[in-house]
Amino acid sequence: GRLEAIDAALKQAGSTSLRFPWHSYPYVADGEHFTAGGLAAFGADLADALRVVARRKSVCVVSDSTLGYHGRRGAERVERLLRSATGGRVRVDAVNGSGFVARSSTSQHFGARVRPCGGRRAPGFDAQVVVFVGGWNDVRDARAAYAAAAAAYAATRCLRPVT
């Protein structure tokens, strides 16, 4: 499907894929968003995954409601976990409903949020590692794989992408 095409496009663009046991996390009734405990468990798994690859590096995590569903507090909890694991600066930029294509009409798509010239909506300008968490909002869009590759290439101008 399209998620696999997005993953393949990111890999071809030089991104490193991180695997997670998505079905093991607790979700709210909609089946799409983590419970608070599910977010904590995913955050811990993400921290473990980044502990080595992002050690003492600044990290920008660009996400959709995977990390944004519980608001800024939820994103801050994940930031603390990642900061503790990596020992570097961490910024989680979570915009509900966004993706590689989703929210492009308002310049809140993933690629716009990692571009160094993107202003305040691009918090990853000084990051050494960028992590994309999402893509589910793009599964119905045929442009998703191309947009994912473009986001990874935008990040590689000054960042080292990790997805």
Side-chain angles (χ1 to χ4, degrees):
R2 290 245 166 80
L3 284 176
E4 291 80 14
I6 291 170
D7 284 344
L10 288 167
K11 185 174 182 176
Q12 187 171 2
S15 190
T16 301
S17 184
L18 302 174
R19 299 291 175 201
F20 298 97
W22 293 107
H23 298 294
S24 71
Y25 303 116
Y27 292 86
V28 297
D30 68 9
E32 296 180 0
H33 299 100
F34 296 135
T35 63
L39 179 62
F42 174 74
D45 286 350
L46 180 58
D48 286 343
L50 294 178
R51 189 175 313 280
V52 174
V53 298
R55 189 83 189 134
R56 301 214 181 282
K57 292 184 167 65
S58 58
V59 178
C60 176
V61 181
V62 179
S63 183
D64 54 15
S65 59
T66 304
L67 301 182
Y69 180 78
H70 291 281
R72 187 67 203 146
R73 280 196 175 147
E76 287 170 351
R77 284 178 31 214
V78 173
E79 282 178 352
R80 284 192 299 274
L81 288 167
L82 299 181
R83 195 174 298 115
S84 176
T86 64
R89 291 178 4 149
V90 176
R91 169 73 190 264
V92 173
D93 180 4
V95 175
N96 295 343
S98 66
F100 292 102
V101 175
R103 293 278 181 129
S104 57
S105 64
T106 58
S107 296
Q108 292 181 316
H109 59 94
F110 290 179
R113 290 163 40 213
V114 297
R115 288 193 182 105
C117 301
R120 69 178 192 81
R121 291 303 314 163
F125 70 94
D126 66 342
Q128 295 165 294
V129 176
V130 64
V131 180
F132 297 119
V133 178
W136 296 275
N137 295 317
D138 297 316
V139 295
R140 289 182 207 78
D141 196 308
R143 303 168 296 168
Y146 172 80
Y153 286 126
T156 59
R157 289 189 197 121
C158 64
L159 308 172
R160 184 167 55 101
V162 177
T163 57

